[in-house]
């Protein structure tokens, strides 16, 4: 039966407040620290390798055409397996999948750091994606089922949102520092430290997790959605590295769409769906998934081209580029926490998403004023701060709204849907905006060249491509403000009137170390 993930039935003879207090895990705040460490590791890995790629390319001698596969290998395995791994956690127990994901991610990171050639590095990145897909939904679903009191749950999701909002920027900062002062290999090795802390905390603190009673794995659904996600991510990545006119691009995109349509039709017919329709048909949860997809499409492109602008045009070092992102990181974390603890309980997700998207759109328009000699304080600091505030508002509602009201047995797949939206959105955005940038640069050169292109002309073309991308990002964010704001319901999140309460109590917390 569908219930609010944060609610529980009161014990006989006691009030709701007493029931909630008695059902709370006394170690829940320590568990939150463990989940935050694991989530930070996953989020960091989405960006920490970006600044290390040039150094890794020089060390291992792979070509510029092959370079994208260091990123794409991770995206393919991560995006393709998220829903499967999210449901797997519901079926076998989230503690098992959480610890397995941590251990596997650490081993894959160590292998990648020790890579002696390109195939070894790409294989390690693919394995990171597999175990990241196992880890990410398990971490979020553990959070959703550990905190049951609404006020404490808001604080916990505020911390989680702050980590998610700030983690990408911290990855840029950490990646720049590690690459500059140690080696690109430490951008991989650093994950083993996060994993060791999270594994120790998970073994000692996380109790036995309830499994879905009588649940079965939807094998046809797994094959359809994993194949569809793989084809979509590969198709968009192929478009970014080749072109939209390449037959293989449209073949993979067409196959991906077809498989996802088949998956959606199958979910409404099978007795044990991988992604139960009740999870995504709720307007608020569906709005949260759409929000993170649109947000990921624009934000991934922003980070990519802003870093190129700072390092290639302005001549910033990797460390300086990371430091330049600190104001956005700080504001993202602050607004995510305030949004989840103060704004979301009072106003609900609708105004937060609309405001966050519009702030980001304004920041993108502001960034279109950049030039070859722009100063950081005059051209970048303001847009970065505005964008950081917008990111924080969005991350302050996504995790809580995307898992609100789901039954405990659906928490894993609901959590996976959030990560899937972000990964798919990032793949779409990277491919689309790369193509837009390349076309804008080519048109600018052809329209201004007189004889052989000069370095000044090429630099002007690059800046034109960046500003064109920022205009596109502004449009994507504006679309998100309208579409996502329209889909989300007005007012605070509330369990629908008359919805059944949980009849089966949560199992008691297991002794430390018990799976």
């Amino acid at each position: 039966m569908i219930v609010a993930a944060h609610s529980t039935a009161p014990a006989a003879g006691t009030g709701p407040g007493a029931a909630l207090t008695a059902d709370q895990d006394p170690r829940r705040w320590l568990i939150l620290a463990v989940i935050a460490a694991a989530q930070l590791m996953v989020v960091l890995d989405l960006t920490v390798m970006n600044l290390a790629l040039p150094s890794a390319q020089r060390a291992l001698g792979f070509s510029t055409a092959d370079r994208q596969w260091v990123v794409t290998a991770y995206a393919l395995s991560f995006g393709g397996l998220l829903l499967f791994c999210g449901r797997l956690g519901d079926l076998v127990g989230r503690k098992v999948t959480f610890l397995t994901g941590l251990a596997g991610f650490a081993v894959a990171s160590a292998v990648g750091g020790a890579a002696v050639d390109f195939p070894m590095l790409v294989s390690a990145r693919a394995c990171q994606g597999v175990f990241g897909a196992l880890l990410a939904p398990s971490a979020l679903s553990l959070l959703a089922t550990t905190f049951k009191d609404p006020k404490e749950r808001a604080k916990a999701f505020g911390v989680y949102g702050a980590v998610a909002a700030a983690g990408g920027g911290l990855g840029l900062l950490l990646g720049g520092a590690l690459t500059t002062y140690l080696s690109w290999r430490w951008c991989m090795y650093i994950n083993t430290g996060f994993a060791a802390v999270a594994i120790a905390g998970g073994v000692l603190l996380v109790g036995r997790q309830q499994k879905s009673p009588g649940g079965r794995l939807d094998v046809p659904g797994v094959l359809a959605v994993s194949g569809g996600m793989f084809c979509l991510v590969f198709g968009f990545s192929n478009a970014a590295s080749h072109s939209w006119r390449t037959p293989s691009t449209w073949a993979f995109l067409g196959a991906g769409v077809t498989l996802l349509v088949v998956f959606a039709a199958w979910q409404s017919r099978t007795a044990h769906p991988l992604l139960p329709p009740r999870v995504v048909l709720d307007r608020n949860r569906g709005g949260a998934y759409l929000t993170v997809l649109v947000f990921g499409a624009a934000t991934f492109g922003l980070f990519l081209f802003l870093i190129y602008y700072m390092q290639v045009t302005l001549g910033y070092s990797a460390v300086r580029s990371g430091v330049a992102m600190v104001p956005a990181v700080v504001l993202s974390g602050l607004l995510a926490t305030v949004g989840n603890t103060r704004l979301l309980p009072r106003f609900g997700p609708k105004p937060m998403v609309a405001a966050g998207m519009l702030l980001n759109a304004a920041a993108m328009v502001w960034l279109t004023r950049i030039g070859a000699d722009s100063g950081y304080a005059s051209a970048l600091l303001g847009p970065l701060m505005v964008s950081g505030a917008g990111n924080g508002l969005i991350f302050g509602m996504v995790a809580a709204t995307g898992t609100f009201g789901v039954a405990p047995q659906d928490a894993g797949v609901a959590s996976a849907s959030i990560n899937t939206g972000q990964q798919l959105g990032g793949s779409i955005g990277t491919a689309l905006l790369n193509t837009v940038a390349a076309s804008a640069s080519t048109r600018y050169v052809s329209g201004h060249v007189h004889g052989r292109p000069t370095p000044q002309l090429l630099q002007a073309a690059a800046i034109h491509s960046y500003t064109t991308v920022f205009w596109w990002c502004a449009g994507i964010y504006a679309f998100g403000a309208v579409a996502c704001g329209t889909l989300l319901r007005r007012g605070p999140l509330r369990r629908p009137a008359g919805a059944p309460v949980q009849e089966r109590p949560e199992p008691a917390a297991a002794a430390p170390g018990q799976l």
Side-chain angles (χ1 to χ4, degrees):
M1 304 177 75
I2 301 177
V3 297
H6 65 275
S7 64
T8 185
T14 62
L20 284 170
T21 302
D23 196 45
Q24 296 295 325
D25 189 330
R27 300 164 299 184
R28 58 193 179 278
W29 296 109
L30 293 175
I31 294 174
L32 173 61
V34 171
I35 294 172
Q39 174 65 12
L40 181 60
M41 181 183 70
V42 173
V43 174
L44 284 175
D45 209 69
L46 293 174
T47 56
V48 73
M49 277 299 293
N50 287 355
L51 292 176
L53 268 180
S55 296
Q57 183 177 355
R58 288 192 296 269
L60 301 182
F62 52 87
S63 68
T64 301
D66 288 336
R67 183 175 60 188
Q68 64 138 342
W69 287 105
V70 178
V71 177
T72 303
Y74 181 88
L76 284 172
S77 54
F78 189 85
L81 295 174
L82 269 167
L83 286 178
F84 164 61
C85 290
R87 176 54 76 189
L88 191 64
D90 294 332
L91 295 177
V92 305
R94 297 175 196 109
K95 182 175 181 177
V96 174
T97 53
F98 181 70
L99 295 176
T100 303
L102 282 169
F105 201 95
V107 172
S109 299
V111 171
V116 297
D117 55 25
F118 177 69
M120 184 175 177
L121 177 60
V122 171
S123 298
R125 289 286 289 168
C127 290
Q128 277 187 311
V130 172
F131 289 106
L134 196 63
L135 169 62
S138 300
L140 183 53
S141 56
L142 280 174
L143 182 64
T145 54
T146 297
F147 288 88
K148 297 177 174 61
D149 177 74
K151 291 184 178 179
E152 290 190 348
R153 192 171 187 266
K155 293 178 181 178
F157 273 101
V159 172
Y160 183 92
V163 171
L170 287 174
L172 297 174
L173 179 62
L174 187 61
L178 292 174
T179 302
T180 300
Y181 298 118
L182 292 174
S183 165
W184 68 269
R185 297 181 184 276
W186 280 96
C187 292
M188 301 286 280
Y189 290 144
I190 191 68
N191 293 324
T192 61
F194 285 105
V197 171
I199 289 173
V203 170
L204 295 174
L205 298 172
V206 178
R208 183 178 58 197
Q209 295 295 303
Q210 181 181 8
K211 304 176 184 178
S212 297
R216 296 180 182 177
L217 187 61
D218 176 18
V219 176
V222 168
L223 295 177
V225 74
S226 297
M229 287 293 297
F230 177 91
C231 290
L232 279 183
V233 174
F234 187 90
F236 281 114
S237 299
N238 193 69
S241 59
H242 294 85
S243 75
W244 290 100
R245 294 185 296 273
T246 304
S248 59
T249 296
W250 290 106
F252 276 103
L253 291 177
V257 171
T258 300
L259 285 171
L260 291 181
V261 170
V262 170
F263 169 74
W266 172 251
Q267 295 307 284
S268 62
R269 298 184 179 184
T270 181
H272 300 280
L274 178 66
L275 179 59
R278 61 180 177 268
V279 172
V280 295
L281 292 182
D282 176 84
R283 276 184 59 180
N284 280 332
R285 287 196 295 270
Y289 304 149
L290 179 61
T291 295
V292 76
L293 187 145
V294 174
F295 175 78
T299 304
F300 274 57
L302 166 64
F303 276 126
L304 178 65
F305 290 98
L306 195 56
I307 289 171
Y308 270 103
Y309 170 69
M310 288 190 290
Q311 293 194 21
V312 176
T313 302
L314 300 183
Y316 286 13
S317 66
V319 172
R320 190 178 179 186
S321 299
V323 172
M325 304 296 295
V326 168
V329 172
V330 172
L331 274 177
S332 292
L334 178 63
L335 265 294
T337 303
V338 172
N340 216 306
T341 57
R342 302 292 184 183
L343 302 180
L344 184 62
R346 184 175 180 181
F347 301 107
K350 188 183 186 79
M352 293 177 64
V353 167
M357 292 285 188
L358 291 176
L359 282 173
N360 277 330
M364 297 302 99
V365 173
W366 195 347
L367 278 174
T368 61
R369 301 174 60 188
I370 60 173
D373 300 314
S374 295
Y376 175 73
S378 60
L380 296 180
L381 180 59
L384 283 172
M385 295 181 69
V386 173
S387 178
N391 293 348
L393 287 175
I394 292 170
F395 272 111
M397 57 71 58
V398 164
T401 306
T403 57
F404 184 85
V406 297
Q409 63 266 25
D410 292 331
V413 74
S415 305
S417 298
I418 297 174
N419 289 282
T420 299
Q422 184 181 35
Q423 193 63 38
L424 183 58
S427 299
I428 294 172
T430 300
L432 174 63
L433 297 176
N434 263 326
T435 305
V436 167
S439 300
S441 179
T442 301
R443 287 195 303 268
Y444 188 92
V445 171
S446 62
H448 294 79
V449 68
H450 300 286
R452 183 183 297 273
T454 63
Q456 293 78 13
L457 176 60
L458 295 178
Q459 183 181 66
I463 294 174
H464 175 70
S465 71
Y466 301 150
T467 56
T468 302
V469 164
F470 296 149
W471 278 115
W472 273 77
C473 288
I476 294 172
Y477 283 127
F479 167 79
V482 175
C484 303
T486 301
L487 183 58
L488 291 162
R489 296 182 183 276
R490 294 182 179 273
L493 297 173
R494 290 190 177 91
R495 184 165 59 90
V501 297
Q502 182 177 334
E503 297 177 352
R504 183 181 60 258
E506 295 285 339
Q514 182 179 356
L515 293 178

